[in-house]
Amino acid sequence: MTTAVDKIEPHSTLTFRSSLWDGPAHRTSSYIGPIKYTSPFLHVPAFYCIGNGSVFLNNYEAELPYFPINYKTNPDRWIKSADYVLAWRMENHHDQPDLERSYERIHSGIAYSLYQRRKTDKAIAWQKQSFDQLLYDFQPAGAPPQANSITVEPNICYREHGYGWVTVSNRNGQYNNATEELPDRDFVTDHFDGVFKIDLPNGQYQVKVQFASSPTPKPVRLNLIANGKKVISNRILPTQNDLVIHSYTLEITDGQLTQIIYVKQEKRFESKWQWSSCYIKRIED
């Protein structure tokens, strides 16, 4: 059941479907013979998330307070939109209509199949585009965008567009009225970590990200990870209205740029990030 682990894209989410893990009708295994008293395959899905930054959404430990990592909200909202589904020992996959409608079977083995959520036609078309530079404008829904920019609203989903948010959260868009004369005065903000993902051709890129700061009792310590590399580490933002710019370069080798933004907090909801824009330029070889 682990032969398809390399098919999971980095920073993805995984859930499972199963008629029975070890019920009376499935008490034998072609590999280990009769199964009694144990559930030897119960944690197999966790192998799909090792070393790739992905999350198995059905791990019971995250729902219990005495384990170190817990869900921030009810995990059901994420499970319904998981990137992958591991379907194990299901008599008839057609009994799961959303699998046929929303997912594509990408691997089948003995008594199991792995499904990947389908990308929309819009996302597929995005992957086929060629460009030298891109400007993403983060803003509230319906706000006027910057010239020649791509609008990123709080609920833009990566799977639907080929770019967008991977995480499910209560992000919202806001304006900074103190910087009203600036074209990038608006932003997307949240207390929780945000993952913004873009499909890009492989190559060298220069990335310029811009964040808004506003009056806060304590300085905001901002962090940004790009494709597994920490490009901003606990940068202290101004405690007044301002715009902060940071540039970095990286090489994309797997067709994706995944940026993870978060703020260091001593107390929950103490501070939040405010992402204004992201400019990407391809560097010629």
Side-chain angles (χ1 to χ4, degrees):
M1 283 184 65
T2 59
T3 55
V5 295
D6 60 340
K7 297 185 180 296
I8 302 292
E9 294 180 359
H11 306 294
S12 298
T13 53
L14 171 72
T15 185
F16 74 88
R17 303 282 181 89
S18 176
S19 54
L20 289 171
W21 281 106
D22 58 353
H26 301 298
R27 284 292 185 180
T28 61
S29 165
S30 58
Y31 297 102
I32 61 177
I35 300 172
K36 294 182 179 180
Y37 314 121
T38 62
S39 302
F41 304 113
L42 186 61
H43 295 290
V44 164
F47 280 87
Y48 284 76
C49 303
I50 294 177
N52 57 17
S54 297
V55 176
F56 175 44
L57 296 173
N58 302 85
N59 190 322
Y60 74 95
E61 293 183 0
E63 299 185 45
L64 301 175
Y66 44 79
F67 286 102
I69 298 177
N70 301 122
Y71 290 119
K72 295 174 180 175
T73 59
N74 190 324
D76 289 345
R77 62 189 300 192
W78 299 317
I79 291 173
K80 293 176 182 178
S81 60
D83 298 317
Y84 294 88
V85 175
L86 183 62
W88 188 71
R89 282 184 167 172
M90 296 177 64
E91 299 297 335
N92 188 350
H93 291 203
H94 296 291
D95 292 339
Q96 306 286 325
D98 61 316
L99 281 181
E100 299 291 333
R101 181 176 61 253
S102 303
Y103 290 85
E104 177 183 1
R105 191 184 303 197
I106 60 174
H107 180 83
S108 292
I110 299 176
Y112 78 98
S113 292
L114 180 66
Y115 288 82
Q116 182 180 30
R117 180 173 287 277
R118 298 181 189 273
K119 290 186 177 180
T120 64
D121 292 340
K122 184 183 293 186
I124 294 172
W126 169 262
Q127 289 181 307
K128 297 178 180 179
Q129 291 188 98
S130 60
F131 50 81
D132 294 322
Q133 55 189 15
L134 296 167
L135 173 60
Y136 291 92
D137 184 13
F138 295 71
Q139 60 182 41
Q146 296 187 51
N148 302 315
S149 68
I150 300 168
T151 299
V152 178
E153 297 177 353
N155 294 318
I156 289 290
C157 177
Y158 162 74
R159 283 286 174 193
E160 295 178 3
H161 297 269
Y163 62 88
W165 302 104
V166 176
T167 42
V168 177
S169 183
N170 295 319
R171 288 178 300 271
N172 62 81
Q174 294 182 7
Y175 294 95
N176 188 339
N177 293 326
T179 57
E180 188 170 358
E181 72 281 0
L182 298 174
D184 43 13
R185 64 190 175 92
D186 46 11
F187 48 81
V188 172
T189 181
D190 198 358
H191 294 280
F192 295 141
D193 306 354
V195 180
F196 184 70
K197 190 173 182 179
I198 310 166
D199 288 335
L200 292 172
N202 290 342
Q204 291 278 349
Y205 290 87
Q206 181 180 32
V207 182
K208 182 172 71 173
V209 287
Q210 189 164 246
F211 309 97
S213 66
S214 55
T216 54
K218 292 184 178 180
V220 174
R221 298 178 181 271
L222 184 73
N223 296 268
L224 186 71
I225 299 172
N227 283 7
K229 179 182 178 181
K230 200 164 191 180
V231 294
I232 300 178
S233 180
N234 286 329
R235 178 166 179 174
I236 299 177
L237 302 185
T239 55
Q240 70 274 358
N241 293 307
D242 204 348
L243 291 169
V244 177
I245 299 174
H246 182 86
S247 297
Y248 66 90
T249 59
L250 84 164
E251 181 179 5
I252 293 178
T253 58
D254 60 358
Q256 297 170 344
L257 169 59
T258 302
Q259 297 179 97
I260 305 172
I261 184 172
Y262 66 97
V263 291
K264 186 175 182 180
Q265 304 184 68
E266 295 179 1
K267 297 180 180 179
R268 199 176 188 186
F269 305 124
E270 184 178 49
S271 56
K272 57 186 178 181
W273 50 265
Q274 300 178 153
W275 200 343
S276 179
S277 64
C278 178
Y279 173 77
I280 301 172
K281 183 178 181 180
R282 187 160 189 170
I283 301 174
E284 297 295 334
D285 297 332

